[in-house]
Amino acid sequence: MKKLFLLPILFFMIACQAQDKTEFGKEALEAKMTSVDGKEIAFKDILAQYKGQVVVIDVWASWCPDCKKGMPKVHNLQKQFPNVKYLFLSYDRVDEKWKQGIESFNTKGGDNYHVGTSMKEGAFSKDIKLDWIPRYMVVDKNGKIALFRAIEADDEKLISTLKSIQ
């Protein structure tokens, strides 16, 4: 009887793991993002800048209470892994608030791009199954997604992933 009870749990765990992607979809790679200086750039071209490097992607917004609370953990992560590149992708509703957030939350230790105004819309959001921010992802030196989802910058999976792929 216990085995029958555990079977659905096992299937659920396997299904959840199967949802973790190792590559970004074509539409997400083509998605346009805006740099701090106002230039539009495709996500694939942003990633190309990091070829051969490990990247932590932090999807955030300045209006997000959990993002604000999580920034000290991000700064600790940056101290712990100084050789990793950090990419901050914002879903702020207004460019000016995003730029103020870069200053306020000191995300200058990485590159900053404005993804869009709604985390529920757009190819990038849909591709990464964005349902919560902050959201952390790790991209390995080959451009593959090594960690698809973490919602805390001190998540054990995030840290162990970084330790294993540096």
Side-chain angles (χ1 to χ4, degrees), residues 28-157:
L29 290 169
E30 295 295 332
K32 299 288 185 195
M33 300 180 183
T34 308
S35 65
V36 176
D37 61 4
K39 295 179 183 166
E40 276 199 350
I41 183 170
F43 182 57
K44 68 179 179 183
D45 296 327
I46 294 169
L47 287 179
Q49 298 171 14
Y50 301 109
K51 187 175 182 174
Q53 300 174 60
V54 175
V55 181
V56 170
I57 298 175
D58 180 350
V59 183
W60 73 292
S62 67
W63 52 262
C64 164
D66 289 336
C67 300
K68 292 175 188 179
K69 285 186 233 169
M71 278 301 173
K73 293 178 184 180
V74 173
H75 297 144
N76 286 338
L77 192 68
Q78 289 174 310
K79 288 176 189 167
Q80 189 176 356
F81 298 97
N83 296 327
V84 170
K85 299 298 179 185
Y86 294 84
L87 175 59
F88 296 94
L89 303 179
S90 172
Y91 274 99
D92 267 283
R93 295 179 183 113
V94 180
D95 273 356
E96 203 50 47
K97 293 287 185 184
W98 164 54
K99 290 177 182 177
Q100 288 171 2
I102 292 169
E103 294 294 323
S104 300
F105 302 111
N106 194 22
T107 64
K108 292 183 259 177
D111 294 322
N112 289 273
Y113 293 90
H114 192 210
V115 182
T117 58
S118 173
M119 61 181 252
K120 305 260 186 220
E121 298 173 4
F124 181 77
S125 175
K126 289 176 185 165
D127 189 62
I128 68 165
K129 299 174 176 63
L130 188 61
D131 61 352
W132 190 263
I133 56 174
R135 164 74 176 278
Y136 305 97
M137 302 177 77
V138 177
V139 177
D140 70 15
K141 293 177 181 182
N142 299 313
K144 302 286 185 196
I145 300 169
L147 179 68
F148 186 69
R149 185 177 195 275
I151 59 170
E152 296 282 343
D154 61 355
D155 184 295
E156 287 182 32
K157 286 194 316 187

Side-chain angles (χ1 to χ4, degrees), residues 3-17:
K3 290 179 183 175
L4 289 176
F5 176 74
L6 293 176
L7 198 55
I9 293 172
L10 180 63
F11 283 125
F12 176 76
M13 289 172 55
I14 291 169
C16 287
Q17 289 174 349

